Each structure stands twice: as C-alpha cells, then as structure tokens.
C-alpha cells in the first residue's frame, strides 16, 4: 500500500465516513442505469453490482434493500467503516451484499464475476486515491462489456469557495498537525466563512457538520477535483466514454438560461462547450455522470416501428403525488404531480397525461407499448396521440425501456 493510501486509510478509520442511515441516492437502480446504453446483457443471470468505496455503506445498503434480486459487492480500505456497514446489513436482514476490504489501487481480493460487473458505483472515491487514473483504469478492466459506471467526482469550479477556506485553514493550522488538533480552529474559521465566502451558497452551514463529514470536507488528507475538460481526458484515458449526466437538467442550457439571444448562441455550441459554460456560471460541487466502455454507445430513442412491441417500466427514480378530496360517496382528485430524482415537482394539468400517470403510479411490472396505447384509446386518445404521449413519458423520464 502506497503512503498516500495509508494516510487516507488512517483518516477514514479515525473518522469513518459517511454518517447516517441507508439512503436512496440518484442513480441507485441497476436496471435503469443499464438502460442508458446500447449493449445489453446477453444472459439471464442475476445482475452483479460493485460499490467501489462504500464507506459505512448508506448508499449500497439503500440500493441493496430496494433490489433484493441483485448481487452487491461493497469494497473499501476503511476496516472500521466496513465493519459498521456489515453490521448494519445484518441488522436489516440484507443477504445480497458481500463486504470486502480492498484497495482500489490494486483491487486485490475482489472476486470479479464471470464477464465482469454489470454496474459499478464509485461515488466520491477516486479523487482521494494516490493516482485516480489507475483507480478508474482498474474499474474499467472489471466492467462487463455492456456495463456502466455511475461516477461522482469533485467539480473544481463548484468547490472554489471551499478551496479558499481550506487554504485559510492551512495557514492558521498546519496540515502537518494531527486532525484532532486542527478541528477546533478549523470549525471556528468555517463558521466565520458563513458570513463571507460561504454566504448563501452550497457550503453554508458546513461548520455544523458532524466530525466525520467536516473532516472529509475541510481537512481531507488527499483529494483532487476536475473540470469538464480534465474529466473528459480522465474518462478517455481509461478507454471509457461519457454516456450522460445523472441529472441532465443540471447541465441543460435550456433549463439554465432564458434569454432567447443567448440560448440561440449556446445551442450552436457543442454539448461539451455548453457544459463548460454551465460549470463556470453555476455552482456544481459534484460531477455526477454515467460512463461506459469506448465501444459501447448511449441508447437511442426507440424507433416508432418498435414502439408497440417494446417493454417499458416506470422509472424507479420517479415519485408521484396525488391530492384527493373525499366527498359524499365519491372522491375528487385535486392535484397530481410527479418528480424525477430530487428535482422540483411538476404539476400535471393535461387530462390525458394525468390519466396515464395515475395508472403508472400503481404499476410495478413491465408493460408493452401496445398496452399503453390500448389504455389511452379507452380514454379517448387516437393512436397518434397515444404514441406522442409515450415519447413524452420517455422524454420526461417517467418511464424507461429496461
């Protein structure tokens, strides 16, 4: 184990990160992630998912609890965090997670399933390695040909205020001192930042975080961050390819800007250039994206000729809200809305869209395009209108093709 990895391991075993109970993170569902690419798994065997750097396990435990038919392997160098994650899994009766202590710089001890892992999660980990490129290359090597990696790395532009604070902490409290000795003064300085460089931004209130979160954020012994340009080089060097952002709305010029003149110019730019503009104008501390092997591609929208025979499912990252009023021997729906991931709720006012969303909100199994068309026709829609609505549901990410 190299010296940098030893330092990182020691820090996280003293301050095992993250705290908190199992959580449902964006990008948790393996089948949804695999739907983003063209190549498909060619066997009917169970899916194998690797959480590469699980820490105390809130992410992998949340994902495993919602996908009992998926096999999870969770690895970390932090023995303390792993022990807590394993105990938490046992307490919750989860039997589909295997915990392994392993170093991402070598992956020694990781049992790779035949053909590789279908999905790999790596959230907030690679940027702490002695050599992040080696870490990503290692993960790419154990990814199945059809597989995807759900990746989160620190964003340089979105962390500028934080890095200014950290430089200030290093001046008043040497980074050669023990973390325990640095904590009190670092917290005081971070509280002061709430009235200056942290005022009104993502980092406000950081000083209130528990020690494990505060150390990870402000006193970390090793980290790097990326802008879009360096991220693209990082991915390309691992012979991987960008598929999409976890939340495309964050990186959409149409969602971010309103001025028609500016939008017209931005739409003339490549998507890469659009992303570069967005990262400079908006505070995005985390770059959350999906990548695949270089010979795979992002899935295209289903062809209209295949629409009726295609299998669809409700997006597991979609949630629905229905407000009802009870009347005399009847009910009336007052409002209907949906949201995808952690975005703002979207009200539904179109009667036909409302009818299909009410049905989808109760749907837990796959269904065909022809079944959707049949239901819509029973509610007065002609076939062309029904097809348009299916494409709208796909575009809004309310449904997907597994």
């Amino acid at each position: 184990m190299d010296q940098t990895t030893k330092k990182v391991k020691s820090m996280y075993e003293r301050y095992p990160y993250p705290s908190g109970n199992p959580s449902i993170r964006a990008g948790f569902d393996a089948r949804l992630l695999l739907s983003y690419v063209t190549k498909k798994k060619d066997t009917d065997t169970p899916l194998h998912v690797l959480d590469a750097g699980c820490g105390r396990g809130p992410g992998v435990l949340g994902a495993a609890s919602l996908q009992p038919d998926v096999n999870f392997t969770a690895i970390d160098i932090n023995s303390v965090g792993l022990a807590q994650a394993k105990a938490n899994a046992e307490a919750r009766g989860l039997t589909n997670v295997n915990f392994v202590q392993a170093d991402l710089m070598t992956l020694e001890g990781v049992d790779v399933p035949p053909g590789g892992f279908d999905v790999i999660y790596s959230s907030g980990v690679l940027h702490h390695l002695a050599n992040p490129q080696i870490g990503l290359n290692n993960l790419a090597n154990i990814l199945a040909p059809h597989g995807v990696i759900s990746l989160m790395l620190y964003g340089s532009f979105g962390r500028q205020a934080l890095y200014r604070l950290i430089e200030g902490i290093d001046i008043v409290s040497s980074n050669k001192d023990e973390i325990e000795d640095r904590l009190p003064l670092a917290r005081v300085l971070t509280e002061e930042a709430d009235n200056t460089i942290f005022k009104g931004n993502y980092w406000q209130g950081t000083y209130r975080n528990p020690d494990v979160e505060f150390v990870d954020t402000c006193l970390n012994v090793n980290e790097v961050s990326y802008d879009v340009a360096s991220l693209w080089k990082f991915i390309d060097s691992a012979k991987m390819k960008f598929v999409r952002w976890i939340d495309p709305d964050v990186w959409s010029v149409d969602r971010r800007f309103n001025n028609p003149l500016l939008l017209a110019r931005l739409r003339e730019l490549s998507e890469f250039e659009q992303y570069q503009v967005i990262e400079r104008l908006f505070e995005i501390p985390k770059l959350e994206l999906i990548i695949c092997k270089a010979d795979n591609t992002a899935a295209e929208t289903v062809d209209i000729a295949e629409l009726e025979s295609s299998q669809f499912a409700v997006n597991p990252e979609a949630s629905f809200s229905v407000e009802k009023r009870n009347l005399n021997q009847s009910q009336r729906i007052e409002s209907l809305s949906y949201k995808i991931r952690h975005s703002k709720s979207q009200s539904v006012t179109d009667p036909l869209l409302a009818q299909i969303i009410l049905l989808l909100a109760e749907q837990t199994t796959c269904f065909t395009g022809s079944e959707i068309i049949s239901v819509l026709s029973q509610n007065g829609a002609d076939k062309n209108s029904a097809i348009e609505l299916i494409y709208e549901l796909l575009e809004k990410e309310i449904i997907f093709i597994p």
Side-chain angles (χ1 to χ4, degrees):
M1 185 179 292
D2 62 80
Q3 290 302 311
T4 298
T5 304
K6 287 180 180 178
K7 288 171 59 179
V8 172
K9 179 177 183 292
S10 175
M11 180 195 75
Y12 280 121
E13 288 186 339
R14 283 186 290 165
Y15 297 92
Y17 176 89
S19 60
N21 294 317
S23 58
I24 308 305
R25 297 174 177 172
F28 78 90
D29 190 85
R31 291 177 181 83
L32 178 64
L33 295 177
L34 289 169
S35 76
Y36 295 149
V37 292
T38 301
K39 288 188 177 183
K40 301 303 177 187
K41 187 179 177 75
D42 58 8
T43 62
D44 197 25
T45 54
L47 294 178
H48 290 271
V49 174
L50 174 69
D51 190 328
C54 66
R56 292 169 68 182
V60 71
L61 295 180
S65 67
L66 296 183
Q67 301 170 92
D69 59 336
V70 175
N71 296 319
F72 288 83
T73 299
I75 66 174
D76 207 289
I77 57 170
N78 175 1
S79 61
V80 176
L82 275 175
Q84 293 177 2
K86 186 175 182 180
N88 203 343
E90 291 173 351
R92 293 170 183 271
L94 294 176
T95 58
N96 59 330
V97 191
N98 181 38
F99 295 94
V100 179
Q101 186 170 12
D103 181 358
L104 291 183
M105 292 290 290
T106 65
L107 290 182
E108 288 182 23
V110 178
D111 186 14
V112 181
F117 286 98
D118 300 292
V119 173
I120 296 176
Y121 303 139
S122 181
S123 180
V125 179
L126 292 180
H127 46 235
H128 293 307
L129 300 187
N131 188 324
Q133 191 67 65
I134 290 176
L136 182 59
N137 294 351
N138 287 343
L139 295 181
N141 288 337
I142 62 172
L143 183 69
H146 62 272
V148 296
I149 298 179
S150 177
L151 185 64
M152 187 279 276
L153 297 166
Y154 290 159
S156 300
F157 285 101
R159 301 176 76 82
Q160 288 180 344
L162 175 65
Y163 289 154
R164 288 171 61 188
L165 168 77
I166 290 172
E167 288 179 7
I169 291 174
D170 288 345
I171 292 171
V172 300
S173 173
S174 173
N175 58 19
K176 295 179 181 179
D177 293 340
E178 291 293 325
I179 291 175
E180 291 80 0
D181 297 330
R182 304 184 70 202
L183 260 171
L185 200 54
R187 281 194 181 278
V188 171
L189 195 61
T190 306
E191 184 175 3
E192 291 294 326
D194 265 20
N195 298 314
T196 56
I197 55 172
F198 284 5
K199 191 171 184 178
N201 68 16
Y202 177 89
W203 307 103
Q204 190 158 22
T206 296
Y207 75 94
R208 300 191 189 95
N209 289 347
D211 282 354
V212 293
E213 267 77 26
F214 186 85
V215 168
D216 176 73
T217 302
C218 298
L219 298 175
N220 208 294
V221 297
N222 187 66
E223 72 175 56
V224 295
S225 59
Y226 297 82
D227 58 19
V228 166
S230 60
L231 174 63
W232 255 236
K233 291 178 182 177
F234 182 55
I235 296 168
D236 186 64
S237 295
K239 299 180 180 176
M240 300 289 285
K241 179 189 295 182
F242 173 81
V243 176
R244 56 168 280 162
W245 300 105
I246 290 286
D247 188 349
D249 285 354
V250 172
W251 296 91
S252 167
V253 294
D254 292 286
R255 298 285 186 182
R256 290 292 200 175
F257 301 99
N258 298 310
N259 183 278
L261 181 64
L262 175 61
L263 270 173
R265 174 62 185 127
L266 289 171
R267 288 169 183 154
E268 293 174 353
L269 302 176
S270 67
E271 288 187 340
F272 176 78
E273 291 170 322
Q274 291 175 14
Y275 300 153
Q276 288 186 302
V277 172
I278 288 171
E279 71 175 342
R280 285 162 171 79
L281 269 68
F282 299 92
E283 189 178 47
I284 308 175
K286 300 175 182 179
L287 308 180
E288 299 176 286
L289 61 153
I290 307 298
I291 61 176
C292 67
K293 288 184 177 289
D295 60 353
N296 203 349
T297 56
E300 296 182 355
T301 304
V302 61
D303 188 87
I304 192 168
E306 301 174 350
L307 191 72
E308 291 187 56
S309 61
S310 294
Q311 291 277 331
F312 297 88
V314 178
N315 186 344
E317 295 193 326
S319 59
F320 307 93
S321 178
V322 182
E323 290 187 6
K324 297 180 180 179
R325 184 185 299 276
N326 288 344
L327 305 171
N328 183 25
Q329 300 182 12
S330 66
Q331 282 186 327
R332 187 179 78 178
I333 295 176
E334 297 287 298
S335 66
L336 174 63
S337 62
Y338 71 92
K339 69 176 185 175
I340 310 298
R341 292 174 289 273
H342 305 301
S343 62
K344 285 180 60 177
S345 291
Q346 303 294 316
S347 295
V348 180
T349 56
D350 177 78
L352 196 58
L353 180 60
Q355 287 176 356
I356 195 65
I357 285 183
L358 282 171
L359 291 173
L360 293 174
E362 304 298 324
Q363 189 70 32
T364 58
T365 58
C366 290
F367 46 90
T368 64
S370 62
E371 288 174 323
I372 303 178
I373 292 171
S374 175
V375 169
L376 290 171
S377 67
Q378 293 171 23
N379 286 278
D382 59 52
K383 188 171 182 178
N384 287 336
S385 298
I387 289 172
E388 288 179 6
L389 186 53
I390 292 174
Y391 279 115
E392 182 179 353
L393 294 169
L394 285 168
E395 182 183 358
K396 294 178 183 296
E397 296 194 288
I398 296 170
I399 60 175
F400 75 106
I401 299 178

